[in-house]
């Protein structure tokens, strides 16, 4: 049993003023792992005050100094590799495969921020003016539970690179992961108040960050519903807002694709992070005349997809993070059946032998049309909808017929054709014949998948304000 009863403010682990306790429950066994003491509004105000004070000098640091801090953060994270991976498996139920992969992104986030800093021009000449890119101020970082430390590292690395200070509010369900990350960042020896971390609920800590006049910008990753709420609230103080929200990503398999490679890859795209991924490719679009072949390939791929204990290195799909999330996925499978879609694999209930945890059966629906709720709404679990198309134009039309636009996938053996199709998809990122991340390219959503971009130069500029000097 772990008790997390400290938050991190002004360079120190302190006892929060808030006294409410929140149980940390294992997604794998539903046994209690520990509890976290939650911060309240006053704790948030103290964290914001510390970040505001630190901003005065941190905003004036040189590029070399910031690179030094980013390197120290990276080194501290490198020293705790096993702990960071294991805690994600234990507390979140992320598979060892996913947590290990996620750990390498975590390190890479610091590296990318350094790379951008090394060549970024903070002072430019535009027209007849000198334009200074100035750090925006104190940043509020509000993040979800599905890759908690990954989000802390990517957002904080950009904020530090820009010369900003930060108050971070992770999900209350990620307290054990947050604790280890906070210990790493503490080790890195940044000046007091540059980053502060407050465990707490969205409606208390998150809401205080959103309304507080001393927060200049919010970088939020989470659901579209909460993102809209934050954007609305932030208007009162005209905070800058970057929103990374949900998705219902289409995966177009063109008729000339190598199906034996593309279909197993499509299953990986749908079930990555046990389906709890904003970029999951959850709408698989296949040529109508090849549907039977696709069904066969899906079934044979799923025979080799292991659901189970996330600690085991060959597990592909772990439990859902909470009983609530488990129930949400069950509800959607039920909705799909009621809408008339056909369950090709999986279905309702828990897989045999895995009754204790929040495990769902990886599920694939066929006979889905794009108006069904299982094709339109983000489920956030291992549920894939297969849709068919007759022509390439129809495939693009279906792909774009969504309120979301975070990511899309295209497979074809003809790279020019795939490139042309990808260029017609309304999504922030389109992956062609690969499952990859580019840490220097912009990432973010079209439409209701978000606002603004993260990573690379555009990601850095989201933490800067241009100041034009004309004489
Ligand atoms: P969520 O929106 O419920 O919560 C996200 C964060 O916002 C949490 O820290 C939460 O406490 C906080 N919050 C909740 N209410 C708030 C309020 N009123 N004011 C301020 N903060 C508040 O999301 P979740 O359930 O934790 O995560 C799943 C969602 O995140 C999915 O919809 C998924 O698509 C999305 N997501 C998006 C990306 C992306 O990069 N686009 C990445 C991962 C997850």
């Amino acid at each position: 049993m772990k008790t997390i009863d400290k938050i991190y403010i002004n360079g120190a682990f302190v006892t929060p003023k808030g006294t409410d306790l929140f149980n940390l429950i294992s997604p794998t066994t539903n046994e209690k792992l520990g509890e976290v003491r939650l911060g309240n509004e006053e704790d948030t105000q103290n964290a914001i005050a510390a970040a505001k004070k630190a901003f005065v000098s941190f905003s004036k640091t040189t590029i070399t100094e910031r690179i030094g801090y980013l390197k120290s953060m990276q080194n501290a994270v490198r020293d705790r590799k096993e702990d960071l991976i294991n805690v994600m498996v234990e507390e979140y139920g992320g598979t060892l495969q996913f947590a290990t992969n996620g750990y390498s992104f975590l390190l890479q986030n610091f590296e990318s921020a350094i790379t951008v800093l090394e060549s970024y021009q903070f002072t430019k000449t535009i027209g007849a003016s000198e334009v200074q890119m100035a750090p925006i101020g104190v940043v509020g970082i509000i993040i979800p539970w599905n890759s908690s430390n990954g989000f802390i590292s990517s957002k904080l690395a950009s904020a530090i690179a820009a010369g900003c200070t930060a108050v971070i509010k992770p999900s209350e369900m990620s307290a054990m992961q947050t604790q280890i990350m906070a210990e790493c960042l503490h080790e890195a020896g940044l000046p007091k108040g540059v980053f502060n971390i407050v465990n707490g609920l969205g409606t208390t800590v998150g809401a205080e960050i959103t309304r507080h006049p001393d927060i200049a910008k919010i970088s939020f990753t989470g659901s579209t519903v909460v993102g809209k709420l934050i954007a609305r609230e932030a208007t009162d103080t005209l905070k800058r807002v970057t929103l990374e929200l949900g998705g219902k990503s289409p995966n177009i398999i063109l008729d000339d694709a190598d199906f034996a490679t593309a279909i197993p890859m499509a299953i990986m795209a749908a079930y990555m992070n046990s389906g709890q991924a904003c970029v999951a490719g959850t709408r698989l679009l296949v040529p109508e005349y090849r549907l039977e072949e696709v069904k066969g390939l899906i079934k044979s791929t799923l025979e080799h997809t292991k659901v189970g204990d996330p600690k085991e290195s060959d597990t592909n799909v772990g439990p859902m993070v909470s009983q609530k999330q488990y129930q949400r996925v069950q509800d959607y499978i039920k909705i799909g059946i009621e809408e008339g879609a056909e369950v090709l694999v999986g279905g309702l209930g828990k897989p045999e032998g895995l009754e204790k945890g929040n495990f769902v059966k990886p599920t694939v629906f066929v006979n889905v049309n794009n108006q069904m709720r299982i094709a339109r709404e983000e489920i956030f679990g291992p549920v894939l909808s297969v849709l068919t198309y007759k022509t390439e134009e129809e495939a693009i039309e279906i792909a774009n017929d969504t309120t979301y636009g975070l990511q899309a996938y295209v497979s074809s053996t003809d790279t020019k054709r795939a490139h042309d199709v990808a260029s017609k998809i309304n999504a922030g990122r389109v992956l062609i014949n690969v499952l990859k991340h580019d840490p220097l390219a912009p990432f973010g959503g079209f439409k209701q998948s978000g606002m603004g971009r993260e990573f690379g130069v555009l990601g850095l500029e989201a933490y800067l304000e241009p100041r034009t000097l004309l004489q």
Side-chain angles (χ1 to χ4, degrees):
M1 269 273 294
K2 295 208 172 62
T3 302
I4 294 168
D5 57 359
K6 297 278 186 286
I7 52 178
Y8 192 82
I9 297 182
N10 205 28
F13 288 94
V14 297
T15 303
K17 309 278 180 206
T19 52
D20 289 350
L21 297 176
F22 178 85
N23 286 337
L24 302 167
I25 308 291
S26 161
T28 309
T29 62
N30 272 310
E31 281 160 13
K32 187 169 165 181
L33 295 171
E35 53 191 24
V36 52
R37 180 164 162 175
L38 302 173
N40 63 13
E41 284 88 348
E42 194 185 345
D43 294 308
T44 315
Q45 288 155 9
N46 291 341
I48 295 170
K52 184 181 178 186
K53 189 158 171 250
F55 181 74
V56 176
S57 51
F58 197 71
S59 57
K60 298 185 185 78
T61 47
T62 63
I63 306 302
T64 314
E65 284 170 315
R66 289 180 211 163
I67 289 176
Y69 290 132
L70 288 164
K71 282 191 176 150
S72 305
M73 290 159 87
Q74 192 186 36
N75 286 336
V77 164
R78 197 175 273 129
D79 289 346
R80 299 285 301 270
K81 178 178 178 181
E82 298 300 315
D83 293 342
L84 285 159
I85 293 174
N86 292 341
V87 74
M88 187 177 186
V89 176
E90 186 186 15
E91 183 184 44
Y92 164 64
T95 63
L96 190 61
Q97 288 175 3
F98 182 80
T100 307
N101 209 18
Y103 173 78
S104 60
F105 285 130
L106 219 148
L107 284 180
Q108 203 176 49
N109 287 330
F110 297 110
E111 197 63 51
S112 310
I114 292 169
T115 305
V116 173
L117 260 189
E118 279 168 345
S119 60
Y120 187 74
Q121 297 296 315
F122 280 84
T123 304
K124 318 168 195 257
T125 303
I126 300 180
S129 302
E130 175 186 317
V131 178
Q132 302 170 344
M133 299 301 284
I136 201 163
V138 179
V139 179
I141 293 176
I142 304 178
I143 51 174
W145 38 256
N146 65 332
S147 179
S148 186
N149 285 338
F151 295 128
I152 292 183
S153 72
S154 60
K155 291 175 192 289
L156 186 60
S158 300
I160 300 286
C164 294
T165 58
V167 175
I168 302 167
K169 192 217 95 64
S171 165
E172 61 281 6
M173 284 190 282
S174 310
M176 284 164 50
Q177 295 164 81
T178 303
Q179 177 65 24
I180 298 200
M181 191 64 173
E183 287 167 14
C184 291
L185 297 173
H186 178 70
E187 271 309 299
L190 271 64
K192 284 180 183 173
V194 168
F195 75 93
N196 305 270
I197 305 179
V198 185
N199 290 319
L201 300 179
T203 44
T204 50
V205 176
E208 183 62 25
I209 290 175
T210 308
R211 78 171 80 93
H212 201 289
D214 290 336
I215 295 278
K217 171 200 166 72
I218 293 187
S219 178
F220 172 78
T221 295
S223 62
T224 296
V225 173
V226 174
K228 286 180 185 176
L229 212 136
I230 287 177
R232 241 176 259 132
E233 275 287 307
T235 309
D236 276 345
T237 43
L238 282 186
K239 289 179 178 44
R240 281 35 174 176
V241 180
T242 300
L243 303 175
E244 300 291 357
L245 310 176
K248 193 76 196 176
S249 302
N251 187 347
I252 301 180
I253 312 294
L254 291 172
D255 56 3
D256 65 352
D258 170 8
F259 278 44
T261 307
I263 300 300
M265 207 196 272
I267 298 290
M268 277 174 77
Y271 294 167
M272 68 171 91
N273 199 1
S274 308
Q276 299 175 125
C278 52
V279 291
T282 47
R283 286 187 299 144
L284 181 62
L285 275 61
V286 301
E288 193 178 67
Y289 77 96
R290 295 189 70 171
L291 180 61
E292 289 311 312
E293 185 187 346
V294 169
K295 284 187 190 173
L297 283 164
I298 289 175
K299 281 187 181 163
S300 58
T301 306
L302 281 175
E303 276 165 20
H304 302 106
T305 301
K306 182 176 160 190
V307 190
D309 188 338
K311 283 200 283 296
E312 289 167 13
S313 60
D314 58 345
T315 296
N316 306 109
V317 178
M320 301 295 93
V321 68
S322 62
Q323 289 187 353
K324 187 174 160 209
Q325 190 64 21
Y326 167 82
Q327 197 49 53
R328 177 187 163 90
V329 178
Q330 293 299 305
D331 290 347
Y332 270 106
I333 295 175
K334 200 156 164 268
I335 287 166
I337 295 168
E338 284 166 3
E339 283 179 316
E342 180 195 329
V343 174
L344 178 70
V345 191
L348 288 165
K350 294 188 177 180
E352 217 184 299
L354 293 170
E355 290 78 9
K356 277 192 189 159
N358 308 321
F359 294 93
V360 304
K361 296 179 191 162
T363 297
V364 180
F365 280 108
V366 290
N367 286 345
V368 180
N369 72 59
N370 206 41
Q371 300 317 310
M372 291 180 179
R373 286 183 64 192
I374 55 165
R376 301 203 79 78
E377 297 173 19
E378 184 180 54
I379 299 173
F380 230 56
V383 181
L384 173 65
S385 293
V386 181
L387 298 100
T388 58
Y389 65 84
K390 287 193 175 67
T391 61
E392 189 178 296
E393 291 67 34
E394 193 193 3
I396 296 166
E397 198 182 303
I398 297 171
N400 285 334
D401 178 16
T402 168
T403 53
Y404 291 114
L406 186 61
Q407 180 145 301
Y409 306 78
V410 179
S411 290
S412 167
T413 47
D414 178 341
T415 45
K416 177 172 181 316
R417 184 180 174 207
H419 180 275
D420 288 349
V421 170
S423 306
K424 292 176 188 154
I425 307 294
N426 299 325
R429 183 164 72 181
V430 188
L431 300 182
I432 304 172
N433 292 328
V434 288
L435 296 183
K436 261 193 194 169
H437 172 61
D438 183 348
L440 290 173
F443 175 76
F446 279 37
K447 301 190 270 183
Q448 295 191 32
S449 281
M451 232 158 66
R453 292 294 181 270
E454 295 195 283
F455 297 107
V457 171
L458 290 189
L460 176 68
E461 287 187 337
Y463 292 81
L464 300 168
E465 282 283 22
R467 175 168 48 225
T468 298
L469 304 188
L470 181 59
Q471 49 187 344

